[in-house]
Protein backbone atom coordinates (compact mmCIF):
# COMPACT_ATOMS: atom_id res chain seq x y z
CA UNK A 1 0.00 0.00 0.00
CA UNK A 2 1.34 3.43 -0.98
CA UNK A 3 -0.20 6.76 -0.12
CA UNK A 4 0.52 10.46 -0.32
CA UNK A 5 -1.16 13.53 1.09
CA UNK A 6 -1.08 17.20 0.05
CA UNK A 7 -2.80 20.35 1.25
CA UNK A 8 -3.09 23.97 0.21
CA UNK A 9 -4.75 26.51 2.49
CA UNK A 10 -7.88 24.66 3.74
CA UNK A 11 -8.03 21.99 1.00
CA UNK A 12 -6.39 18.58 1.05
CA UNK A 13 -6.14 15.58 -1.23
CA UNK A 14 -5.13 11.97 -0.55
CA UNK A 15 -3.87 9.39 -3.08
CA UNK A 16 -3.76 5.65 -2.33
CA UNK A 17 -2.33 2.86 -4.52
CA UNK A 18 -2.88 -0.69 -3.41
CA UNK A 19 -1.49 -2.63 -6.38
CA UNK A 20 1.96 -2.99 -4.80
CA UNK A 21 3.83 -1.73 -7.87
CA UNK A 22 3.22 2.00 -8.06
CA UNK A 23 4.50 4.80 -5.91
CA UNK A 24 2.07 7.71 -5.74
CA UNK A 25 2.44 11.41 -5.29
CA UNK A 26 -0.22 14.09 -5.18
CA UNK A 27 -0.09 17.85 -5.06
CA UNK A 28 -2.75 20.54 -4.87
CA UNK A 29 -2.70 24.32 -5.12
CA UNK A 30 -5.51 26.77 -4.57
CA UNK A 31 -6.00 28.81 -7.72
CA UNK A 32 -4.84 32.36 -7.30
CA UNK A 33 -4.36 34.97 -9.94
CA UNK A 34 -0.73 35.84 -10.54
CA UNK A 35 -1.10 39.38 -11.84
CA UNK A 36 2.50 39.94 -12.91
CA UNK A 37 3.50 37.56 -15.76
CA UNK A 38 7.17 38.53 -15.39
CA UNK A 39 7.13 37.55 -11.70
CA UNK A 40 5.41 34.24 -12.55
CA UNK A 41 8.04 33.47 -15.19
CA UNK A 42 10.82 34.40 -12.75
CA UNK A 43 9.38 31.95 -10.21
CA UNK A 44 9.17 29.31 -12.97
CA UNK A 45 12.91 29.66 -13.62
CA UNK A 46 13.63 28.40 -10.10
CA UNK A 47 11.68 25.19 -10.74
CA UNK A 48 11.50 24.42 -14.45
CA UNK A 49 14.12 23.96 -17.17
CA UNK A 50 14.78 26.54 -19.89
CA UNK A 51 12.63 24.74 -22.47
CA UNK A 52 9.71 24.53 -20.05
CA UNK A 53 10.07 28.22 -19.16
CA UNK A 54 9.97 29.07 -22.88
CA UNK A 55 6.81 26.96 -23.22
CA UNK A 56 5.25 28.76 -20.27
CA UNK A 57 6.26 32.19 -21.63
CA UNK A 58 4.37 31.42 -24.86
CA UNK A 59 1.07 30.89 -23.00
CA UNK A 60 -1.56 33.62 -23.19
CA UNK A 61 -1.14 35.76 -20.00
CA UNK A 62 -4.85 35.25 -19.21
CA UNK A 63 -4.12 31.51 -18.77
CA UNK A 64 -0.64 31.80 -17.27
CA UNK A 65 -1.67 31.34 -13.61
CA UNK A 66 -3.60 28.12 -14.29
CA UNK A 67 -0.82 26.75 -16.54
CA UNK A 68 1.86 27.54 -13.97
CA UNK A 69 -0.12 25.88 -11.17
CA UNK A 70 -0.79 22.82 -13.36
CA UNK A 71 2.95 22.50 -14.05
CA UNK A 72 3.82 23.15 -10.41
CA UNK A 73 1.45 20.45 -9.13
CA UNK A 74 2.58 17.97 -11.83
CA UNK A 75 6.20 18.48 -10.85
CA UNK A 76 5.38 18.30 -7.14
CA UNK A 77 3.34 15.10 -7.50
CA UNK A 78 6.15 13.38 -9.46
CA UNK A 79 8.83 14.46 -7.01
CA UNK A 80 6.75 13.25 -4.09
CA UNK A 81 6.13 9.88 -5.79
CA UNK A 82 9.86 9.49 -6.45
CA UNK A 83 10.63 10.25 -2.81
CA UNK A 84 13.19 12.94 -3.66
CA UNK A 85 11.16 16.12 -3.30
CA UNK A 86 12.45 19.33 -4.85
CA UNK A 87 15.92 18.69 -3.41
CA UNK A 88 16.53 15.64 -5.63
CA UNK A 89 20.04 15.01 -6.93
CA UNK A 90 19.12 15.22 -10.60
CA UNK A 91 16.75 17.53 -12.40
CA UNK A 92 13.33 16.02 -13.00
CA UNK A 93 12.10 15.49 -16.55
CA UNK A 94 9.60 17.71 -18.34
CA UNK A 95 6.12 17.31 -16.95
CA UNK A 96 4.35 20.02 -18.96
CA UNK A 97 1.64 22.53 -18.13
CA UNK A 98 -1.50 20.97 -19.56
CA UNK A 99 -4.54 19.67 -17.77
CA UNK A 100 -5.42 16.03 -18.39
CA UNK A 101 -3.31 12.88 -18.55
CA UNK A 102 0.15 12.09 -19.91
CA UNK A 103 3.07 9.74 -19.31
CA UNK A 104 6.67 10.86 -18.84
CA UNK A 105 9.91 8.91 -18.52
CA UNK A 106 11.37 9.28 -15.03
CA UNK A 107 15.03 8.43 -14.30
CA UNK A 108 16.22 6.15 -11.51
CA UNK A 109 13.32 5.18 -9.27
CA UNK A 110 14.22 2.71 -6.52
CA UNK A 111 16.13 -0.30 -7.87
CA UNK A 112 15.02 0.45 -11.45
CA UNK A 113 17.19 2.52 -13.73
CA UNK A 114 14.08 4.20 -15.04
CA UNK A 115 10.37 4.47 -14.38
CA UNK A 116 7.36 5.98 -16.06
CA UNK A 117 5.13 8.49 -14.35
CA UNK A 118 1.49 8.56 -15.35
CA UNK A 119 0.28 12.05 -14.55
CA UNK A 120 -3.23 13.37 -14.30
CA UNK A 121 -3.91 17.03 -13.66
CA UNK A 122 -7.41 18.27 -13.06
CA UNK A 123 -9.31 21.32 -11.91
CA UNK A 124 -11.33 21.17 -8.73
CA UNK A 125 -13.71 24.11 -9.25
CA UNK A 126 -15.73 23.26 -6.13
CA UNK A 127 -12.75 24.27 -3.99
CA UNK A 128 -11.03 26.58 -6.51
CA UNK A 129 -7.94 24.37 -6.84
CA UNK A 130 -5.78 22.46 -9.30
CA UNK A 131 -4.46 19.02 -8.34
CA UNK A 132 -2.10 16.49 -9.91
CA UNK A 133 -1.68 12.78 -9.29
CA UNK A 134 1.47 10.87 -10.26
CA UNK A 135 1.78 7.09 -10.35
CA UNK A 136 5.40 6.02 -10.73
CA UNK A 137 6.04 2.55 -12.10
CA UNK A 138 9.49 1.02 -12.70
CA UNK A 139 10.26 0.12 -16.31
CA UNK A 140 9.30 -3.44 -17.16
CA UNK A 141 10.44 -3.31 -20.77
CA UNK A 142 13.58 -4.71 -22.43
CA UNK A 143 16.69 -2.67 -21.87
CA UNK A 144 20.10 -3.01 -23.43
CA UNK A 145 21.26 -5.85 -21.16
CA UNK A 146 17.92 -7.65 -21.48
CA UNK A 147 17.92 -7.88 -25.28
CA UNK A 148 21.62 -8.41 -26.00
CA UNK A 149 21.83 -11.33 -28.42
CA UNK A 150 18.04 -11.78 -28.53
CA UNK A 151 16.35 -12.72 -31.79
CA UNK A 152 13.17 -10.82 -30.93
CA UNK A 153 11.84 -8.20 -28.50
CA UNK A 154 8.17 -7.36 -27.85
CA UNK A 155 7.83 -4.49 -25.35
CA UNK A 156 4.44 -3.16 -24.23
CA UNK A 157 4.67 0.63 -24.11
CA UNK A 158 2.15 3.37 -23.39
CA UNK A 159 3.26 6.26 -25.63
CA UNK A 160 5.98 7.79 -27.80
CA UNK A 161 7.99 9.15 -24.85
CA UNK A 162 8.17 5.69 -23.29
CA UNK A 163 9.12 4.22 -26.64
CA UNK A 164 11.97 6.67 -27.20
CA UNK A 165 13.29 5.98 -23.72
CA UNK A 166 13.17 2.19 -23.93
CA UNK A 167 14.65 1.97 -27.41
CA UNK A 168 16.88 5.04 -27.82
CA UNK A 169 18.16 6.11 -24.40
CA UNK A 170 21.91 6.72 -24.84
CA UNK A 171 22.85 4.76 -21.71
CA UNK A 172 20.31 1.93 -21.50
CA UNK A 173 18.31 1.89 -24.75
CA UNK A 174 17.63 -1.53 -26.23
CA UNK A 175 18.06 -0.73 -29.94
CA UNK A 176 21.90 -0.77 -30.07
CA UNK A 177 22.04 -4.21 -28.40
CA UNK A 178 19.80 -6.01 -30.89
CA UNK A 179 21.51 -8.26 -33.43
CA UNK A 180 21.34 -7.20 -37.06
CA UNK A 181 18.64 -9.77 -37.94
CA UNK A 182 16.58 -9.36 -34.78
CA UNK A 183 12.87 -8.57 -34.86
CA UNK A 184 11.46 -5.82 -32.62
CA UNK A 185 7.72 -5.34 -32.36
CA UNK A 186 6.35 -2.62 -30.14
CA UNK A 187 2.89 -3.30 -28.67
CA UNK A 188 0.69 -0.68 -27.11
Amino acid sequence: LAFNLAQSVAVGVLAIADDGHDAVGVDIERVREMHDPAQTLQLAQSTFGADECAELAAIDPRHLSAAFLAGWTRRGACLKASGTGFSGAQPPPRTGFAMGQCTVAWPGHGQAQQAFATLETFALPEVNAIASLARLRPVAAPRREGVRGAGAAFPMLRDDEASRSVWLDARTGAAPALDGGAVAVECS
Side-chain angles (χ1 to χ4, degrees), residues 6 24 31 50 52-53 63 91 99 106 116 119 132 149 168 182 184 188:
V24 294
V31 175
E52 288 175 300
C53 288
H63 306 289
M99 302 297 270
W106 196 267
F116 291 101
L119 301 171
S132 291
L168 304 177
S188 40

Side-chain angles (χ1 to χ4, degrees), residues 10 20 81 112 153 183:
V183 174

Side-chain angles (χ1 to χ4, degrees), residues 59-137:
I59 293 173
D60 183 323
R62 295 173 296 168
H63 306 289
L64 188 59
S65 293
F68 175 83
L69 292 173
W72 181 271
T73 60
R74 278 180 176 239
R75 177 67 48 89
C78 279
L79 291 170
K80 289 170 77 176
S82 73
T84 63
F86 280 95
S87 63
Q90 59 190 22
R94 291 178 52 96
T95 54
F97 300 97
M99 302 297 270
Q101 191 173 33
C102 72
T103 302
V104 297
W106 196 267
H109 174 65
Q111 300 269 331
Q113 291 183 351
Q114 187 156 18
F116 291 101
T118 301
L119 301 171
E120 187 159 1
T121 302
F122 41 93
L124 299 169
E126 301 83 6
V127 293
N128 195 32
I130 293 175
S132 291
L133 169 67
R135 293 181 61 119
L136 209 53
R137 176 162 289 192

